[in-house]
Coordinates of all heavy atoms in Angstrom, one line a residue:
C1 N 67.1 159.1 -79.4 CA 66.3 159.7 -78.3 C 66.1 158.8 -77.2 O 66.2 159.0 -76.1 CB 65.0 160.4 -78.9 SG 64.2 161.3 -77.6
R2 N 65.6 157.6 -77.7 CA 65.2 156.7 -76.7 C 66.5 156.1 -76.0 O 66.4 155.8 -74.8 CB 64.4 155.5 -77.4 CG 63.6 154.7 -76.4 CD 62.7 153.8 -77.2 NE 62.0 153.0 -76.2 CZ 60.9 152.3 -76.5 NH1 60.5 152.3 -77.8 NH2 60.3 151.6 -75.6
L3 N 67.6 155.8 -76.7 CA 68.8 155.4 -76.1 C 69.3 156.4 -75.0 O 69.9 156.0 -74.1 CB 69.8 155.2 -77.3 CG 71.2 154.7 -76.9 CD1 71.1 153.2 -76.3 CD2 72.1 154.7 -78.1
Q4 N 69.2 157.7 -75.3 CA 69.6 158.6 -74.3 C 68.9 158.5 -73.0 O 69.5 158.6 -72.0 CB 69.5 160.1 -74.9 CG 70.4 160.4 -75.9 CD 70.1 161.8 -76.5 OE1 69.0 162.2 -76.4 NE2 71.1 162.5 -77.0
H5 N 67.6 158.2 -73.0 CA 66.8 158.0 -71.8 C 67.2 156.8 -71.1 O 67.4 156.8 -69.9 CB 65.4 158.1 -72.2 CG 64.8 159.4 -72.6 ND1 64.8 160.5 -71.8 CD2 64.3 159.7 -73.8 CE1 64.3 161.4 -72.5 NE2 63.9 161.0 -73.8
T6 N 67.4 155.8 -71.9 CA 68.0 154.4 -71.3 C 69.3 154.6 -70.6 O 69.5 154.2 -69.5 CB 68.0 153.4 -72.3 OG1 66.7 153.3 -73.0 CG2 68.5 152.1 -71.9
L7 N 70.3 155.3 -71.3 CA 71.6 155.6 -70.6 C 71.5 156.5 -69.6 O 72.2 156.2 -68.6 CB 72.5 156.1 -71.8 CG 72.9 155.2 -73.0 CD1 73.8 155.9 -73.9 CD2 73.6 154.0 -72.4
K8 N 70.6 157.4 -69.5 CA 70.5 158.3 -68.3 C 70.1 157.5 -67.1 O 70.5 157.8 -66.0 CB 69.4 159.4 -68.5 CG 70.0 160.6 -69.4 CD 69.0 161.6 -69.5 CE 69.4 162.7 -70.3 NZ 68.5 163.8 -70.5
F9 N 69.3 156.5 -67.3 CA 69.0 155.6 -66.1 C 70.0 154.6 -65.9 O 70.3 154.2 -64.8 CB 67.6 155.0 -66.5 CG 67.2 154.0 -65.4 CD1 66.7 154.3 -64.2 CD2 67.3 152.5 -65.7 CE1 66.4 153.4 -63.3 CE2 67.0 151.6 -64.8 CZ 66.4 152.0 -63.5
L10 N 70.6 154.0 -67.0 CA 71.5 152.8 -66.8 C 72.8 153.1 -66.2 O 73.3 152.4 -65.4 CB 71.6 152.1 -68.2 CG 72.4 150.8 -68.2 CD1 71.5 149.8 -67.4 CD2 72.4 150.3 -69.6
V11 N 73.4 154.2 -66.6 CA 74.7 154.7 -66.2 C 74.7 154.9 -64.6 O 75.6 154.1 -64.0 CB 75.2 155.9 -66.8 CG1 76.5 156.4 -66.2 CG2 75.5 155.5 -68.3
P12 N 73.8 155.5 -63.9 CA 73.9 155.7 -62.5 C 73.7 154.2 -61.8 O 74.3 153.9 -60.8 CB 72.8 156.6 -62.2 CG 72.5 157.5 -63.4 CD 72.9 156.5 -64.5
C13 N 72.9 153.4 -62.4 CA 72.5 152.1 -61.8 C 73.9 151.2 -61.9 O 74.2 150.5 -61.0 CB 71.5 151.3 -62.5 SG 69.8 152.1 -62.2
L14 N 74.6 151.2 -63.0 CA 75.8 150.6 -63.1 C 76.9 151.0 -62.2 O 77.7 150.2 -61.6 CB 76.4 150.5 -64.5 CG 75.4 149.8 -65.6 CD1 76.0 150.0 -67.1 CD2 75.5 148.3 -65.2
R15 N 76.9 152.3 -62.0 CA 78.0 152.9 -61.0 C 77.6 152.4 -59.7 O 78.5 152.0 -58.9 CB 77.8 154.5 -61.1 CG 78.5 155.1 -62.2 CD 78.5 156.5 -62.1 NE 78.8 157.1 -63.3 CZ 78.5 158.4 -63.8 NH1 77.6 159.1 -63.1 NH2 79.0 158.9 -65.0
A16 N 76.3 152.5 -59.3 CA 75.9 151.9 -58.0 C 76.2 150.5 -57.7 O 76.7 150.1 -56.7 CB 74.5 152.3 -57.7
V17 N 76.0 149.7 -58.7 CA 76.3 148.3 -58.6 C 77.8 148.1 -58.5 O 78.2 147.2 -57.6 CB 75.7 147.5 -59.9 CG1 76.2 146.1 -60.0 CG2 74.2 147.5 -59.9
V18 N 78.6 148.8 -59.3 CA 80.0 148.5 -59.1 C 80.5 149.0 -57.8 O 81.3 148.3 -57.2 CB 80.7 149.3 -60.4 CG1 82.3 149.4 -60.0 CG2 80.4 148.6 -61.7
L19 N 80.1 150.1 -57.3 CA 80.6 150.6 -56.0 C 80.1 149.7 -54.9 O 80.8 149.4 -54.0 CB 80.1 152.1 -55.8 CG 80.7 153.1 -56.6 CD1 80.1 154.5 -56.5 CD2 82.2 153.1 -56.4
L20 N 78.9 149.4 -55.0 CA 78.3 148.3 -53.9 C 79.1 147.0 -54.0 O 79.4 146.5 -52.9 CB 76.8 148.1 -54.3 CG 76.1 147.1 -53.3 CD1 76.1 147.9 -51.9 CD2 74.8 146.9 -53.7
G21 N 79.4 146.6 -55.1 CA 80.1 145.4 -55.3 C 81.6 145.4 -54.7 O 82.1 144.6 -53.9
C22 N 82.3 146.6 -55.0 CA 83.6 146.7 -54.5 C 83.6 147.0 -52.9 O 84.4 146.4 -52.2 CB 84.2 148.0 -55.1 SG 84.6 147.9 -56.8
G23 N 82.6 147.7 -52.5 CA 82.5 148.0 -51.0 C 82.1 146.7 -50.2 O 82.8 146.3 -49.2
S24 N 81.2 145.9 -50.8 CA 80.9 144.6 -50.1 C 82.0 143.6 -50.1 O 82.2 143.0 -49.2 CB 79.6 144.0 -50.8 OG 78.6 144.8 -50.8
G25 N 82.8 143.6 -51.2 CA 83.9 142.7 -51.3 C 84.9 143.0 -50.3 O 85.6 142.2 -49.7
M26 N 85.2 144.4 -50.2 CA 86.3 144.9 -49.2 C 85.8 144.6 -47.7 O 86.6 144.1 -46.9 CB 86.5 146.3 -49.3 CG 87.5 146.6 -50.6 SD 87.9 148.3 -50.7 CE 86.4 149.1 -51.2
I27 N 84.5 144.8 -47.4 CA 84.1 144.5 -46.1 C 84.1 143.1 -45.8 O 84.5 142.6 -44.7 CB 82.7 145.1 -45.9 CG1 82.8 146.7 -45.9 CG2 81.9 144.7 -44.7 CD1 81.4 147.4 -45.9
Y28 N 83.7 142.2 -46.7 CA 83.5 140.8 -46.5 C 84.9 140.2 -46.3 O 85.1 139.3 -45.3 CB 82.7 140.1 -47.6 CG 82.5 138.7 -47.4 CD1 81.6 138.2 -46.6 CD2 83.4 137.7 -48.1 CE1 81.4 136.8 -46.4 CE2 83.2 136.4 -47.9 CZ 82.2 135.9 -47.0 OH 82.1 134.6 -46.9
T29 N 85.8 140.6 -47.1 CA 87.2 140.1 -47.1 C 87.9 140.4 -45.9 O 88.5 139.6 -45.2 CB 88.0 140.6 -48.3 OG1 87.3 140.2 -49.5 CG2 89.4 139.9 -48.3
S30 N 87.8 141.8 -45.4 CA 88.4 142.1 -44.2 C 87.7 141.4 -43.0 O 88.5 141.0 -41.9 CB 88.5 143.7 -44.0 OG 87.1 144.1 -44.0
S31 N 86.4 141.3 -42.9 CA 85.8 140.7 -41.8 C 86.1 139.2 -41.7 O 86.4 138.6 -40.7 CB 84.3 140.9 -42.0 OG 83.9 142.1 -41.9
F32 N 86.2 138.5 -42.9 CA 86.7 137.1 -43.0 C 88.0 137.0 -42.5 O 88.4 136.0 -41.6 CB 86.6 136.6 -44.4 CG 86.8 135.2 -44.5 CD1 85.7 134.3 -44.4 CD2 88.1 134.6 -44.9 CE1 86.0 132.9 -44.6 CE2 88.2 133.3 -45.1 CZ 87.2 132.4 -44.9
L33 N 89.0 137.9 -42.8 CA 90.4 137.8 -42.3 C 90.4 138.0 -40.9 O 91.2 137.3 -40.1 CB 91.2 138.8 -43.1 CG 92.6 139.0 -42.6 CD1 93.3 137.7 -43.0 CD2 93.3 140.2 -43.3
L34 N 89.7 139.0 -40.3 CA 89.6 139.3 -38.8 C 89.2 138.0 -38.1 O 89.8 137.7 -37.0 CB 88.8 140.5 -38.5 CG 89.4 141.8 -38.9 CD1 88.5 142.8 -38.7 CD2 90.8 142.0 -38.2
V35 N 88.1 137.4 -38.5 CA 87.6 136.1 -37.8 C 88.7 135.0 -37.9 O 88.8 134.3 -37.0 CB 86.3 135.7 -38.5 CG1 85.8 134.3 -38.1 CG2 85.1 136.7 -38.2
N36 N 89.3 134.9 -39.1 CA 90.3 133.9 -39.3 C 91.5 134.1 -38.3 O 92.0 133.1 -37.8 CB 90.7 133.9 -40.7 CG 91.4 132.6 -41.1 OD1 91.2 131.6 -40.4 ND2 92.1 132.6 -42.3
L37 N 91.9 135.4 -38.1 CA 93.0 135.6 -37.3 C 92.8 135.6 -35.8 O 93.7 135.2 -35.0 CB 93.6 137.0 -37.6 CG 94.3 137.3 -39.0 CD1 94.6 138.7 -39.2 CD2 95.5 136.4 -39.1
H38 N 91.4 135.9 -35.4 CA 91.1 135.9 -34.1 C 90.9 134.6 -33.4 O 91.3 134.3 -32.3 CB 89.8 136.7 -33.9 CG 89.4 136.9 -32.4 ND1 90.0 137.7 -31.6 CD2 88.4 136.3 -31.7 CE1 89.4 137.6 -30.4 NE2 88.4 136.7 -30.5
F39 N 90.4 133.6 -34.1 CA 90.1 132.3 -33.6 C 91.3 131.3 -33.9 O 91.5 131.0 -35.1 CB 88.7 131.9 -34.1 CG 87.6 132.5 -33.6 CD1 87.1 133.5 -34.2 CD2 87.1 132.1 -32.3 CE1 86.0 134.3 -33.8 CE2 86.0 132.9 -31.8 CZ 85.4 133.9 -32.6
D40 N 91.7 130.7 -32.9 CA 92.7 129.6 -33.0 C 91.9 128.2 -32.9 O 92.1 127.4 -33.8 CB 93.8 129.7 -32.1 CG 94.8 130.8 -32.3 OD1 94.9 131.2 -33.4 OD2 95.3 131.4 -31.3
K41 N 91.3 128.1 -31.8 CA 90.4 127.0 -31.7 C 89.1 127.2 -32.2 O 88.6 128.3 -32.2 CB 90.3 126.6 -30.2 CG 91.5 126.3 -29.5 CD 91.3 126.0 -28.0 CE 92.7 125.6 -27.3 NZ 92.4 125.4 -25.9
R42 N 88.5 126.2 -32.8 CA 87.2 126.2 -33.4 C 87.0 127.3 -34.4 O 86.0 128.0 -34.6 CB 86.1 126.5 -32.3 CG 86.0 125.4 -31.3 CD 84.9 125.6 -30.3 NE 84.7 124.7 -29.4 CZ 83.9 123.6 -29.4 NH1 83.1 123.4 -30.4 NH2 84.0 122.7 -28.4
R43 N 88.1 127.5 -35.2 CA 88.2 128.4 -36.3 C 87.1 128.1 -37.4 O 86.4 129.0 -38.0 CB 89.4 128.4 -37.0 CG 89.6 129.5 -38.1 CD 91.0 129.6 -38.6 NE 91.9 130.1 -37.6 CZ 93.2 129.9 -37.7 NH1 93.8 129.4 -38.7 NH2 93.9 130.5 -36.7
G44 N 86.9 126.7 -37.7 CA 85.9 126.3 -38.6 C 84.5 126.7 -38.3 O 83.7 127.1 -39.0
L45 N 84.2 126.5 -37.0 CA 82.9 126.9 -36.5 C 82.6 128.5 -36.6 O 81.6 128.8 -36.9 CB 82.7 126.4 -34.9 CG 81.5 126.7 -34.3 CD1 80.2 126.1 -35.0 CD2 81.5 126.4 -32.9
A46 N 83.6 129.2 -36.2 CA 83.6 130.6 -36.2 C 83.3 131.1 -37.7 O 82.4 131.9 -38.0 CB 84.9 131.3 -35.6
L47 N 84.1 130.5 -38.6 CA 83.9 130.9 -40.0 C 82.6 130.5 -40.5 O 81.9 131.2 -41.3 CB 85.0 130.4 -40.8 CG 86.4 130.9 -40.7 CD1 87.5 130.2 -41.3 CD2 86.4 132.4 -41.0
G48 N 82.1 129.3 -40.2 CA 80.7 128.9 -40.5 C 79.6 129.7 -39.9 O 78.7 130.1 -40.8
V49 N 79.8 130.1 -38.8 CA 78.7 131.1 -38.2 C 78.8 132.4 -38.9 O 77.8 133.0 -39.2 CB 79.1 131.4 -36.6 CG1 78.2 132.4 -36.1 CG2 78.7 129.9 -35.9
F50 N 80.0 132.9 -39.1 CA 80.2 134.2 -39.9 C 79.6 134.1 -41.3 O 78.8 135.0 -41.6 CB 81.7 134.5 -40.0 CG 82.0 135.6 -41.0 CD1 81.7 137.0 -40.7 CD2 82.6 135.3 -42.3 CE1 82.0 138.0 -41.5 CE2 82.8 136.3 -43.1 CZ 82.6 137.7 -42.8
N51 N 79.8 133.0 -42.0 CA 79.3 132.9 -43.3 C 77.7 132.8 -43.3 O 77.0 133.3 -44.1 CB 79.9 131.8 -44.0 CG 81.2 132.0 -44.6 OD1 81.6 133.2 -45.1 ND2 82.1 131.1 -44.6
S52 N 77.3 132.0 -42.3 CA 75.8 132.0 -42.2 C 75.1 133.2 -41.8 O 74.1 133.6 -42.5 CB 75.5 130.9 -41.1 OG 76.0 129.6 -41.3
G53 N 75.7 134.0 -40.9 CA 75.2 135.2 -40.6 C 75.2 136.3 -41.8 O 74.3 137.0 -42.1
A54 N 76.3 136.2 -42.6 CA 76.3 137.1 -43.7 C 75.4 136.7 -44.8 O 74.6 137.5 -45.4 CB 77.8 136.9 -44.4
T55 N 75.0 135.4 -45.0 CA 74.1 135.0 -45.8 C 72.6 135.3 -45.4 O 71.9 135.8 -46.3 CB 74.1 133.4 -46.0 OG1 75.5 133.2 -46.5 CG2 73.1 133.0 -47.1
V56 N 72.3 135.2 -44.2 CA 71.0 135.6 -43.6 C 70.9 137.0 -43.8 O 69.7 137.5 -44.1 CB 70.9 135.1 -42.2 CG1 69.7 135.6 -41.5 CG2 70.8 133.6 -42.1
G57 N 71.9 137.8 -43.5 CA 71.7 139.3 -43.6 C 71.5 139.7 -45.1 O 70.7 140.7 -45.3
R58 N 72.2 139.0 -46.0 CA 71.9 139.4 -47.4 C 70.4 138.9 -47.8 O 69.8 139.6 -48.8 CB 72.8 138.6 -48.3 CG 74.3 139.3 -48.3 CD 75.1 138.6 -49.3 NE 76.5 139.0 -49.1 CZ 77.4 138.0 -48.8 NH1 77.2 136.7 -48.7 NH2 78.6 138.5 -48.6
L59 N 70.0 137.9 -47.3 CA 68.6 137.5 -47.6 C 67.6 138.4 -47.0 O 66.5 138.6 -47.5 CB 68.4 136.1 -47.2 CG 69.1 134.9 -47.9 CD1 68.8 133.5 -47.2 CD2 68.5 134.8 -49.4
L60 N 67.7 138.9 -45.8 CA 66.8 139.7 -45.0 C 66.8 141.2 -45.4 O 65.8 141.9 -45.3 CB 67.0 139.5 -43.6 CG 66.6 138.2 -43.0 CD1 66.9 138.1 -41.5 CD2 65.2 137.8 -43.2
M61 N 68.0 141.7 -45.9 CA 68.1 143.1 -46.2 C 67.1 143.6 -47.1 O 66.6 144.7 -46.8 CB 69.5 143.4 -46.5 CG 69.9 144.8 -46.4 SD 69.6 145.4 -44.6 CE 69.9 147.1 -44.8
P62 N 66.8 143.0 -48.3 CA 65.8 143.4 -49.1 C 64.4 143.7 -48.5 O 63.7 144.5 -48.7 CB 65.7 142.5 -50.3 CG 67.1 141.8 -50.3 CD 67.4 141.8 -48.8
L63 N 64.0 142.7 -47.6 CA 62.8 142.8 -46.8 C 62.8 144.1 -45.9 O 61.8 144.8 -45.9 CB 62.5 141.6 -46.1 CG 62.3 140.3 -46.9 CD1 62.2 139.1 -46.1 CD2 61.1 140.3 -47.8
V64 N 63.9 144.3 -45.3 CA 64.0 145.3 -44.4 C 63.9 146.7 -45.1 O 63.3 147.6 -44.7 CB 65.4 145.2 -43.5 CG1 65.6 146.5 -42.7 CG2 65.4 144.1 -42.6
I65 N 64.7 146.8 -46.2 CA 64.6 147.9 -47.1 C 63.2 148.2 -47.6 O 62.7 149.5 -47.5 CB 65.6 147.8 -48.3 CG1 67.0 147.8 -47.7 CG2 65.3 148.9 -49.2 CD1 68.1 147.5 -48.8
Y66 N 62.5 147.2 -48.1 CA 61.1 147.4 -48.5 C 60.3 148.0 -47.5 O 59.5 148.9 -47.7 CB 60.6 146.0 -49.0 CG 59.2 146.0 -49.5 CD1 58.9 146.6 -50.7 CD2 58.1 145.6 -48.7 CE1 57.5 146.8 -51.0 CE2 56.9 145.6 -49.0 CZ 56.6 146.1 -50.2 OH 55.3 146.2 -50.6
H67 N 60.4 147.4 -46.4 CA 59.4 147.8 -45.2 C 59.7 149.2 -44.6 O 58.9 150.0 -44.4 CB 59.4 146.8 -44.1 CG 58.7 145.5 -44.3 ND1 57.3 145.5 -44.6 CD2 59.2 144.2 -44.6 CE1 56.9 144.3 -44.9 NE2 58.0 143.5 -44.9
L68 N 61.1 149.5 -44.7 CA 61.4 150.8 -44.3 C 61.0 151.9 -45.2 O 60.4 153.0 -44.8 CB 63.0 151.0 -44.1 CG 63.5 150.3 -42.9 CD1 65.0 150.4 -42.9 CD2 63.0 151.0 -41.6
I69 N 61.1 151.6 -46.5 CA 60.7 152.6 -47.6 C 59.1 152.7 -47.6 O 58.5 153.7 -47.6 CB 61.1 152.2 -48.9 CG1 62.6 152.4 -49.0 CG2 60.5 153.0 -50.1 CD1 63.3 152.0 -50.3
Q70 N 58.4 151.6 -47.2 CA 57.0 151.6 -47.2 C 56.5 152.5 -46.0 O 55.6 153.2 -46.1 CB 56.5 150.2 -47.1 CG 56.5 149.4 -48.4 CD 55.7 150.0 -49.5 OE1 54.5 150.5 -49.3 NE2 56.3 150.0 -50.7
E71 N 57.2 152.3 -44.9 CA 56.9 152.9 -43.6 C 57.3 154.5 -43.7 O 56.5 155.3 -43.2 CB 57.5 152.3 -42.4 CG 57.1 152.9 -41.1 CD 55.7 152.6 -40.7 OE1 55.1 151.7 -41.3 OE2 55.1 153.3 -40.0
Y72 N 58.4 154.8 -44.0 CA 59.0 156.1 -44.0 C 59.2 156.8 -45.2 O 59.8 158.0 -45.3 CB 60.3 156.0 -43.2 CG 60.2 155.5 -41.8 CD1 60.7 154.2 -41.6 CD2 59.7 156.3 -40.8 CE1 60.5 153.8 -40.3 CE2 59.6 155.8 -39.5 CZ 60.0 154.4 -39.3 OH 60.0 153.9 -38.0
G73 N 58.8 156.2 -46.4 CA 58.9 156.8 -47.7 C 60.4 156.7 -48.2 O 61.2 156.1 -47.5
D74 N 60.6 157.1 -49.4 CA 61.9 157.1 -50.0 C 63.0 157.7 -49.3 O 64.0 157.1 -48.9 CB 61.9 157.5 -51.5 CG 61.0 156.7 -52.4 OD1 60.7 155.6 -52.0 OD2 60.6 157.2 -53.5
R75 N 62.9 158.9 -48.9 CA 63.9 159.7 -48.2 C 64.2 159.1 -46.8 O 65.3 158.9 -46.4 CB 63.7 161.1 -48.2 CG 63.8 161.8 -49.5 CD 63.5 163.3 -49.3 NE 64.2 164.0 -50.4 CZ 64.4 165.3 -50.3 NH1 64.1 165.9 -49.3 NH2 65.0 165.8 -51.3
G76 N 63.1 158.9 -46.0 CA 63.3 158.5 -44.7 C 63.8 157.0 -44.6 O 64.7 156.8 -43.8
G77 N 63.4 156.2 -45.4 CA 63.9 154.8 -45.5 C 65.3 154.7 -45.8 O 66.0 154.0 -45.1
L78 N 65.6 155.4 -46.8 CA 67.0 155.3 -47.3 C 68.0 156.1 -46.3 O 69.2 155.8 -46.0 CB 67.3 156.0 -48.6 CG 66.6 155.2 -49.7 CD1 66.7 155.9 -51.1 CD2 67.2 153.8 -49.9
L79 N 67.4 157.1 -45.5 CA 68.3 157.7 -44.5 C 68.5 156.7 -43.4 O 69.6 156.8 -42.9 CB 67.4 159.0 -44.0 CG 68.2 159.8 -43.0 CD1 69.5 160.4 -43.5 CD2 67.3 160.9 -42.4
I80 N 67.5 156.0 -43.0 CA 67.6 155.1 -41.9 C 68.7 153.9 -42.3 O 69.5 153.5 -41.6 CB 66.2 154.4 -41.6 CG1 65.4 155.4 -40.9 CG2 66.5 153.2 -40.6 CD1 64.0 155.0 -40.7
I81 N 68.6 153.5 -43.5 CA 69.5 152.5 -44.0 C 71.0 153.0 -44.1 O 71.9 152.3 -43.7 CB 69.0 152.0 -45.4 CG1 67.8 151.4 -45.4 CG2 70.2 151.1 -46.1 CD1 67.1 151.1 -46.7
S82 N 71.1 154.3 -44.4 CA 72.5 154.8 -44.6 C 73.0 155.0 -43.2 O 74.2 155.0 -42.8 CB 72.5 156.1 -45.3 OG 71.7 157.0 -44.7

């Protein structure tokens, strides 16, 4: 009985993690490729700025999500994020 409740919660979470990971990987890879193809001069600088921005975005997004959910509730915050 307890296992069923755990699985009801765990399976959707695992699905979300897998889908998020696949989507993030595809977006990051294609963006990295576009930056790499666009810049001939200063390619290293462009890729460094790209990676720094991606890292800062990943660090700040949980804070943004938290504040949006606090301000607008679950539905409103997630609607704004989507």
